[in-house]
Amino acid sequence: MGLDFGTNSCRSLIVDLEDGHELAVCVINYPSGEDGILLDPTDPNVARQNPEDYFSTMEKAVKGALQQARDTSPGFDPASIIGIGIDTTGSSPGPVNRQCIPLGMLPEFKDNLNAKVWLWKDHSSHVEAAQITETAQEMRPEYLAKIGGTYSSEWFWSNILHCKNTSPEVFKAAYSFVEICDYIPAVLSGETRPEKIVRSVCAAGHKAMYNDDWGGLPDREFLAALDPDLENLRDRLYKKAVPSNQLAGRLTPEWAGKLGLKPGIAIAVGALDAHMGAVGAGVKERTLVKILGTSTCDIMVSPKHKGFVDIPGVCGIADGSVLPGYYGIEAGQSAVGDIFLWFVNHLVPDQYGKNLDEKFKNLEIEASKQKPGEHGLLALDWNHGNRNILADVRLSGLLIGQTLHTQAHEIYRALIEATAFGALTIIDRMREYGVAVEEIVNCGGLASKNSFLMQIYADIIDRPMKVSRSDQTPALGAAIFGAVAAGKELSGFSRVEAAQDMMTGIKEVYEPKSKNRQIYQELFRLYGQLHDAFGTREWSGGMHNVMKDLISIRERQRKRP
Amino acid sequence: MGLDFGTNSCRSLIVDLEDGHELAVCVINYPSGEDGILLDPTDPNVARQNPEDYFSTMEKAVKGALQQARDTSPGFDPASIIGIGIDTTGSSPGPVNRQCIPLGMLPEFKDNLNAKVWLWKDHSSHVEAAQITETAQEMRPEYLAKIGGTYSSEWFWSNILHCKNTSPEVFKAAYSFVEICDYIPAVLSGETRPEKIVRSVCAAGHKAMYNDDWGGLPDREFLAALDPDLENLRDRLYKKAVPSNQLAGRLTPEWAGKLGLKPGIAIAVGALDAHMGAVGAGVKERTLVKILGTSTCDIMVSPKHKGFVDIPGVCGIADGSVLPGYYGIEAGQSAVGDIFLWFVNHLVPDQYGKNLDEKFKNLEIEASKQKPGEHGLLALDWNHGNRNILADVRLSGLLIGQTLHTQAHEIYRALIEATAFGALTIIDRMREYGVAVEEIVNCGGLASKNSFLMQIYADIIDRPMKVSRSDQTPALGAAIFGAVAAGKELSGFSRVEAAQDMMTGIKEVYEPKSKNRQIYQELFRLYGQLHDAFGTREWSGGMHNVMKDLISIRERQRKRP
């Protein structure tokens, strides 16, 4: 069984180890806040979650999946479930007391947002993030080399430091801080000593600057330079983090009763959703998994024995964060689906439709009638900053080439193309640093639902775009780890790769169209010029060619039969 | 009486010479085509007019104005009208036969669009325009110096050459070509010999490369280099063009009867609407008149005795084209109101309103709640190319700074600001070349109707924006010339300036707000950076600051109380 704790809901997936098919799935939305997110009306940066939501929804999701399996597979026995894997959003840490109870569940902190779980998309800690980046640049540049050069406001230490700075009462009451991908397995396996919780190397390595090479978490001197209280906290966090093929513990009788499962089954170490999603999409050496949603996550792995150079501007590199024995490489774009949603919500007139779905559909119909470059437009995909390869939140959107005749569907197409150019820029950077991409597997909402976008991606990236067979790759990846953690005797799998072979696959392939290659190469060169000009300090040159080249391309394409 | 022949309608205005007040006005729309424009469904560049429309609508407009004057001013006598001034769009030439009959009115060319009047906004002749510019660059650079460096596809010679190239039968049947600002006075005064038509120096100087310094029209050698048939045409055009204080002729008894006016009254030489509009708005030395509409026209005058240097990138400089004894200087922006109309038509959702008017109104309400720079956006106003100071049609729009929260009214404000920055760029260029702007008078639809825009213009240009008292400055300017051409004995005026003193004025002044000065100066520096980077070959540098500066300005302004 895989349990996937997303931004808005909990999902339970049951996979049949006989043949790898998905037996049942059940999704339950978090009841608190707005779509499960606790907001602060006075500060748009704040995004928190109620820790109780995870447990109330998990119970319903597991029971729902079991019921569904019983309904659709006569003879199905819940006792045949041998292990649970868990993935969550992250970095999403929360404070706990010495008894491992989330402060947000205590009566005295019931209404204090700072005592809740700090959701990955919380941006309140940007000042602290800048302080951490600066301090590391001076004292420990090696820390930054593994995270693409910049520590994010979304991550573990930024959140903790901001909590200390703005809510000293919460910080003081916190015995430790725990990522929810570590906390949920701890609860299920009955661990109530914060220091003993088995921590995920995925969250630790990508979000908390953990690395075995420098002895785990950042050292005391560095933390003291940030804040003496962080130095003191270090011993109450963790010394060691491990991959998800290992056991976090075994299901307690109490939780077994609540969930309707057998006590004592394996609980795998948790991990972040994107990384487990990559596993569920079949990530392996030289395969790039792209998780395409409101933002995107690009995941690759590289065998440890081959060694590795850091890639500037690529978000994260952590040992074992995706597959044991491999470096996990994480990159991504801060906004993809979010850009389209912004555009359709704010700039598409009702002649395209009465609601979002209709507007999207008709934009696509109209945009697909055009040849590449026929709109004469080019955009940068930086409406929410650039995560990779520039790692700079102080960037913004750009649209160039509009005339008095430009229509909404043409801009929509240019925005899709911009995100594809951004994706290609990341692939090119990884290739420059020796990480060859031989296969691209896509998953997430856009991959399975938007064939117009997928074809543009295939054409622009100029490689086949494969789509993962499963629509719920994070939960599937979690289930794979649940099976491996349960041991070969029970599951038949001692290695994640073997489980992936059976359980993952491709359902569709978009082939690049050769007739579009040259035009998109020309447009990508112009994108690169804008990218480097507006995004880097080093670039210097002229821009006089850009509008003229776009007009020439437009004229050429309009004449093309 | 002033007669104003616009793009869509004819307007007749009667002014009382006792005190300068406007006695009556009557507007009649052209009956042919779409809003008076003959279109070609196969070619969006084509825009023609039916020459018959001018005369049928003039008759109604004059009679309507006379009736209105009689109704509102008891004792008014049509015989008290002493002169008629005429302004029209331009360059809007048409072919005529030896008897001065427009070919488009002959049965054999009834359905031939190339035999009609080629309206100013017709863009079919862009290939010929490029040929003329190149030929002049090689042979006669002095011709280009007076028109800002580039010959336009909208102008006289481009149209004639395109007619020759694509409709040889029309060209062959054409004895001569006449601008409508010359043709209408000729008809009213009974002139039927094409060579004898008194031609406007305004149309000739700004649109046909006419200049007394080089003996009038372009020389035979130059025209032969374009096409031998143009050389042959030269003698059937004109030798001399004159300002509008001079007589084109006197009203024939036949037309006097049709219009209900006294035969023999003065018909002034015609001119283009923007130039007469500037006169009606009170143009004088050091006063810039801005005619703000779908596009804008900026008009100034500089006394001949002071001499003059050419201003690179400023559209036109012609002796006497606005006021006799002055150089007329014409610049402008190719799209202003048209950019707003494009945006509202194509990119504003219905939450702002059900129709154009509601959308404009609500965009303005929302946009006016923001402080300058609070939207974090910057745009270039080049959706229809740049007329001045870059004189380059192969440019396009640009928008930078958008986030996932940017709303339509913020972009609307950024577009208005972009057109103001474009206007300021022209003013700065004129000042660099010694043409001081001490006063700015605005007229046209946007000036009298859009106070939100006018205040932004005042703040960005950092000068008081005055609004002309008359809402129909072209017709008023024409009436002024009608009075002066009639002679001092009848009208009391021998000089245009004296007539302007009585008949023109200011009704409203928008003062710049000092609190917005600094922010707009910062934004204008960034506009200048984008302008030079994308618009000039010479610029070289980095763009890394642009998005960051926009974000800093946004943050600063949002915090400002």
Side-chain angles (χ1 to χ4, degrees), chain A residues 3 15 22 30 40 108 153 241 251 321 358 423 435-436 455 545:
Chain A
L3 292 178
V15 182
E22 298 176 7
Y30 303 142
D40 179 347
E108 60 265 44
S153 64
L251 189 66
S321 67
E358 277 183 26
V435 181
Q455 186 59 52
N545 64 301

Side-chain angles (χ1 to χ4, degrees), chain B residues 45 48 118 122-132 151-163:
Chain B
N45 287 317
R48 306 286 155 84
W118 295 50
D122 189 294
H123 280 188
S124 17
S125 317
H126 53 94
V127 173
E128 288 80 4
Q131 183 197 345
I132 295 170
Y151 197 80
S152 167
S153 64
E154 296 181 355
W155 296 348
F156 192 70
W157 293 110
S158 302
N159 293 165
I160 293 176
L161 192 50
H162 188 68
C163 177

Side-chain angles (χ1 to χ4, degrees), chain A residues 334-335 338-340 342-352 359 376 380 382-384 392-408 411 530 533-537 539-548 550-552 554-555, chain B residues 334-335 338-339 342-352 359 376 380 382-384 392-408 411 530 533-548 550-552 554-555:
Chain A
S334 7
D338 268 353
I339 294 183
F340 314 143
W342 159 74
F343 180 68
V344 178
N345 270 324
H346 293 293
L347 294 166
V348 174
D350 292 23
Q351 68 215 52
Y352 286 91
K359 285 182 177 180
L380 287 174
W382 300 349
N383 289 47
H384 197 42
D392 188 348
V393 296
R394 292 177 80 82
L395 294 172
S396 63
L398 182 148
L399 178 69
I400 188 170
Q402 50 273 41
T403 69
L404 295 174
H405 306 288
T406 300
Q407 297 188 65
I411 297 175
L530 293 174
F534 286 95
T536 73
R537 248 175 238 289
W539 187 90
S540 182
M543 305 297 282
H544 186 245
N545 64 301
V546 180
M547 292 177 179
K548 288 164 194 341
L550 286 172
I551 292 172
S552 305
R554 181 183 78 201
E555 288 173 345
Chain B
S334 9
D338 268 353
I339 295 183
W342 159 74
F343 180 68
V344 178
N345 269 326
H346 293 292
L347 294 165
V348 174
D350 293 22
Q351 67 215 53
Y352 286 91
K359 285 182 177 181
L380 287 175
W382 300 349
N383 289 47
H384 197 43
D392 188 347
V393 296
R394 293 177 81 82
L395 294 172
S396 63
L398 183 147
L399 179 69
I400 187 169
Q402 51 273 40
T403 69
L404 295 174
H405 306 288
T406 300
Q407 296 188 65
I411 297 176
L530 293 174
F534 285 95
T536 73
R537 250 175 236 289
E538 296 71 31
W539 186 91
S540 181
M543 305 297 283
H544 186 245
N545 64 302
V546 180
M547 292 178 180
K548 288 164 194 344
L550 287 172
I551 292 172
S552 304
R554 181 183 78 203
E555 288 173 346

Side-chain angles (χ1 to χ4, degrees), chain B residues 104-345:
Chain B
M105 288 167 69
L106 299 177
E108 60 265 43
F109 292 115
K110 208 175 131 282
D111 298 319
N112 190 327
L113 282 177
N114 295 316
K116 307 287 178 179
V117 172
W118 295 50
L119 193 58
W120 64 277
K121 67 199 278 188
D122 189 294
H123 280 188
S124 17
S125 317
H126 53 94
V127 173
E128 288 80 4
Q131 183 197 345
I132 295 170
T133 299
E134 279 165 36
T135 308
Q137 277 165 347
E138 281 168 32
M139 294 177 65
R140 302 286 184 272
E142 65 272 27
Y143 292 178
L144 297 179
K146 301 291 175 202
I147 52 169
T150 310
Y151 197 80
S152 167
S153 64
E154 296 181 355
W155 296 348
F156 192 70
W157 293 110
S158 302
N159 293 165
I160 293 176
L161 192 50
H162 188 68
C163 177
K164 148 92 212 269
N165 289 338
T166 57
S167 268
E169 75 289 3
V170 171
F171 185 83
K172 205 170 156 222
Y175 180 80
S176 189
F177 286 82
V178 189
E179 290 279 352
I180 54 169
C181 72
D182 296 331
Y183 186 70
I184 295 168
V187 169
L188 292 183
S189 56
E191 183 54 69
T192 57
R193 296 159 298 176
E195 299 94 335
K196 297 288 177 187
I197 293 176
V198 186
R199 308 280 185 146
S200 156
V201 75
C202 179
H206 287 299
K207 312 297 179 189
M209 297 192 288
Y210 170 98
N211 196 311
D212 285 334
D213 291 351
W214 53 72
L217 289 173
D219 61 60
R220 304 180 67 95
E221 188 189 350
F222 173 78
L223 293 177
L226 293 176
D227 191 303
D229 283 335
L230 287 192
E231 185 191 358
N232 297 334
L233 176 67
R234 189 178 190 274
D235 286 342
R236 306 196 307 272
L237 293 169
Y238 52 94
K239 303 222 163 5
K240 183 74 189 161
V242 298
S244 298
N245 61 335
Q246 300 196 25
L247 271 183
R250 298 201 167 269
L251 189 65
T252 63
E254 184 198 347
W255 272 104
K258 283 189 195 174
L259 299 177
L261 296 170
K262 208 166 81 179
I265 62 171
I267 308 292
V269 170
L272 303 183
D273 43 14
H275 301 73
M276 285 211 169
V279 172
V283 74
K284 57 182 182 288
E285 191 184 358
R286 300 195 194 89
T287 292
L288 165 66
V289 172
K290 288 183 71 65
I291 300 143
L292 296 171
T294 55
S295 65
T296 65
C297 208
D298 298 348
I299 303 278
M300 290 195 76
V301 294
S302 183
K304 276 192 69 175
H305 65 85
K306 290 198 177 171
F308 196 73
V309 288
D310 297 323
I311 308 174
V314 166
C315 213
I317 293 155
D319 175 9
S321 67
V322 179
L323 294 179
Y326 294 79
Y327 292 112
I329 305 165
E330 181 197 352
Q333 292 165 269
S334 9
V336 174
D338 268 353
I339 295 183
F340 314 143
L341 203 60
W342 159 74
F343 180 68
V344 178
N345 269 326

Side-chain angles (χ1 to χ4, degrees), chain A residues 276-287:
Chain A
M276 285 212 169
V279 173
V283 74
K284 58 182 182 288
E285 190 184 358
R286 300 195 194 90
T287 292

Side-chain angles (χ1 to χ4, degrees), chain A residues 125-324:
Chain A
S125 317
H126 53 94
V127 173
E128 289 79 6
Q131 183 196 345
I132 294 169
T133 299
E134 279 164 35
T135 308
Q137 277 164 348
E138 280 168 34
M139 294 178 65
R140 302 287 184 271
E142 64 272 27
Y143 293 178
L144 296 179
K146 301 290 175 202
I147 52 169
T150 310
Y151 198 80
S152 166
S153 64
E154 297 181 355
W155 296 349
F156 192 70
W157 293 110
S158 302
N159 294 165
I160 293 176
L161 192 51
H162 188 69
C163 177
K164 149 91 213 269
N165 289 338
T166 56
S167 267
E169 75 290 2
V170 171
F171 185 83
K172 205 169 156 221
Y175 179 78
S176 189
F177 286 82
V178 189
E179 290 278 351
I180 54 168
C181 72
D182 296 331
Y183 186 71
I184 295 168
V187 169
L188 292 182
S189 57
E191 184 54 69
T192 58
R193 298 159 298 177
E195 298 95 335
K196 297 287 178 188
I197 292 177
V198 186
R199 307 281 185 144
S200 158
V201 76
C202 179
H206 287 298
K207 313 297 180 190
M209 298 192 287
Y210 170 97
N211 196 311
D212 285 333
D213 290 352
W214 54 72
L217 288 172
D219 62 60
R220 303 178 69 94
E221 188 189 349
F222 174 78
L223 293 177
L226 293 176
D227 192 302
D229 283 335
L230 287 193
E231 184 190 0
N232 297 334
L233 176 67
R234 189 178 191 273
D235 286 342
R236 306 197 307 273
L237 293 169
Y238 53 94
K239 303 222 161 6
K240 184 74 190 160
V242 297
S244 297
N245 61 335
Q246 300 196 25
L247 272 182
R250 295 199 168 271
L251 189 66
T252 64
E254 184 199 348
W255 273 103
K258 282 190 196 174
L259 299 177
L261 295 171
K262 209 166 81 177
I265 62 171
I267 309 291
V269 171
L272 303 183
D273 44 13
H275 302 72
M276 285 212 169
V279 173
V283 74
K284 58 182 182 288
E285 190 184 358
R286 300 195 194 90
T287 292
L288 166 67
V289 173
K290 289 184 70 64
I291 300 142
L292 296 172
T294 54
S295 65
T296 65
C297 208
D298 297 347
I299 303 277
M300 291 196 75
V301 294
S302 182
K304 275 193 71 175
H305 65 83
K306 290 199 177 171
F308 196 74
V309 288
D310 297 322
I311 308 174
V314 166
C315 212
I317 292 156
D319 175 7
S321 67
V322 179
L323 294 179

